[in-house]
Amino acid sequence: MKKLYIPVAMIALGAVAFAQTPAPTRFDPNTTVELEYLTHTELRAKQKAGMTSVLLIAGGTEERGPQNVLGGHTIMSRYRGIAIAKQLGNAFLAPVVPFAPQPTGLKENTDQPGAIEVPPAVFKGIFVAMIDSMRMNGFKDIYVMGDHGGGQPELKAAVEEAEANPKFSSAGVHVYYINDFYQKTHDDVDMYMYEHKLPIAGHGAMMETSEMLYEQPVPGMLVRDNYKTVPFDPTGQTPEQWKAARDARDARAAAIAAGNPPPPQPARTGGRGQNADTSSRVNNGLTGDPHPSSKEIGKVVFDFGVNNTVNEIKKQTAAKRTGATQ
């Protein structure tokens, strides 16, 4: 019997179909939301049918411990982006940008190779160009977000520049910076870990390892089996210190929103990706404990990311459209 070989890359780049879903026998352009898998005629037909929104997402390429693949940010962004676009119902996912400023591990003569860095100004310029391309392509709502901490200010600045450009307003095009894709999702995941007595997430630890376990099409493709035993640096925070810092941050935000003087910030006691004790560092790019990671926790992380983003997109879109009609 003749064997059928499917490139591994095609498994990873296909629609969100985890291990329990049978693989399709033929690609159907009518069901995809990924822009790069459409012809221009297929795209135009979908736009005429009302699909006039697009997601622009920054991923990233960097080391994230000996157990997780370098392209984690980009891979997680793609899976989330597909689910977000499908939930919205009228949106496409543009090709995910696979790099960002300030990747972890990049230095001269590193023994943790693999990161790709772009300067902040260049990164912003890439998104300015992508946003303008989507305007010229006929999209009316353009949503910009990123899965990497480095680059968030540049994404926001690129959106603000587009929104101030009369070429966009005259064409009825709106551009949105969606911070909840990153910040609220990290906050919600850390709270979930705290409430379930799991290790607070750090770089390459519980959050990312679990999500990629959930997403990987075949075992070992995104997360190597050593995630259960790999050594790691602690985060520098106890769960109680993390909770106190979060509560203080929330109190400051509430005071500012109410127009009251914010309470003083507490002294920093360490945080995500930090190790207070540098004398015994493992220094393998992993900060935080990934050992209890699981597909089940990964689904929780994935759902936080998707639902937070969809809710913020709907909220911002409704607010902007209401303002435009006043």
Side-chain angles (χ1 to χ4, degrees), residues 244-258 260-264 266:
R246 178 191 168 106
D247 290 347
R249 177 160 51 86
D250 289 348
R252 284 179 61 83
I256 292 170
N260 299 322

Side-chain angles (χ1 to χ4, degrees), residues 7-15 75 78-79 217 221-222:
V8 171
M10 291 305 297
I11 299 174
L13 292 172
I75 293 164
R78 183 181 297 116
Y79 277 111
M221 182 175 177
L222 307 180

Side-chain angles (χ1 to χ4, degrees), residues 14-314:
V16 176
F18 302 119
Q20 67 271 22
T21 305
T25 57
R26 181 178 176 82
F27 176 76
D28 183 1
N30 294 315
T31 61
T32 189
V33 295
E34 293 176 87
L35 205 64
E36 58 198 314
Y37 291 121
L38 295 171
T39 68
H40 74 271
T41 52
E42 291 166 346
L43 173 58
R44 178 58 70 200
K46 287 173 179 284
Q47 286 179 320
K48 287 181 177 179
M51 295 184 68
T52 57
S53 300
V54 65
L55 311 178
L56 304 184
I57 308 181
T61 304
E62 63 179 7
E63 56 81 17
R64 51 190 2 86
Q67 84 285 12
N68 292 331
V69 297
L70 296 165
H73 278 308
T74 304
I75 293 164
M76 290 184 287
S77 294
R78 183 181 297 116
Y79 277 111
R80 287 189 194 178
I82 292 169
I84 292 162
K86 287 187 173 181
Q87 277 203 31
L88 291 172
N90 68 337
F92 293 100
L93 172 65
V96 177
V97 175
F99 36 71
Q102 303 165 348
T104 301
L106 189 64
K107 55 186 179 291
E108 298 290 345
N109 302 315
T110 181
D111 60 355
Q112 295 162 203
I116 299 175
E117 180 173 27
V118 292
V122 174
F123 181 73
K124 177 192 169 187
I126 290 169
F127 273 86
V128 167
M130 289 181 69
I131 291 168
D132 201 39
S133 295
M134 294 304 148
R135 175 190 65 81
M136 290 186 283
N137 284 330
F139 288 103
K140 297 301 183 183
D141 291 296
I142 303 168
Y143 303 102
V144 179
M145 62 206 81
D147 194 52
H148 187 266
Q152 296 293 330
E154 289 73 29
L155 294 175
K156 187 172 186 288
V159 168
E160 291 171 348
E161 184 174 313
E163 277 291 276
N165 190 328
K167 289 192 299 185
F168 286 78
S169 56
S170 63
V173 178
H174 295 296
V175 190
Y176 311 77
Y177 169 61
I178 308 299
N179 188 45
D180 285 0
F181 182 83
Y182 177 79
Q183 189 59 61
K184 188 176 190 304
T185 295
H186 278 265
D187 289 346
D188 288 349
V189 170
D190 282 352
M191 179 60 78
Y192 176 88
M193 302 298 185
Y194 176 82
E195 291 174 342
H196 290 79
K197 301 187 185 306
L198 294 165
I200 297 296
H203 180 75
M206 280 283 291
M207 178 177 178
E208 297 161 336
T209 304
S210 292
E211 181 171 353
M212 286 194 287
L213 281 172
Y214 173 64
E215 293 167 349
Q216 65 182 1
V218 293
M221 182 175 177
L222 307 180
V223 180
R224 308 300 187 241
D225 292 341
N226 63 345
Y227 76 89
K228 297 178 181 180
T229 58
V230 66
F232 60 90
D233 286 327
T235 63
Q237 271 187 324
T238 66
E240 291 72 25
Q241 288 171 329
W242 172 84
K243 183 64 163 53
R246 178 191 168 106
D247 290 347
R249 177 160 51 86
D250 289 348
R252 284 179 61 83
I256 292 170
N260 299 322
Q265 287 183 302
R268 189 176 180 89
T269 57
R272 179 187 296 276
Q274 292 185 325
N275 180 11
D277 179 11
T278 59
S279 63
S280 59
R281 290 199 62 180
V282 176
N283 194 29
N284 64 357
L286 175 58
T287 306
D289 183 1
H291 295 174
S293 299
S294 69
K295 288 184 178 181
E296 292 72 24
I297 296 171
K299 185 180 187 308
V300 172
V301 175
F302 179 84
D303 288 344
F304 272 135
V306 171
N307 294 333
N308 284 340
T309 304
V310 169
N311 291 338
E312 182 64 12
I313 284 175
K314 290 181 176 179

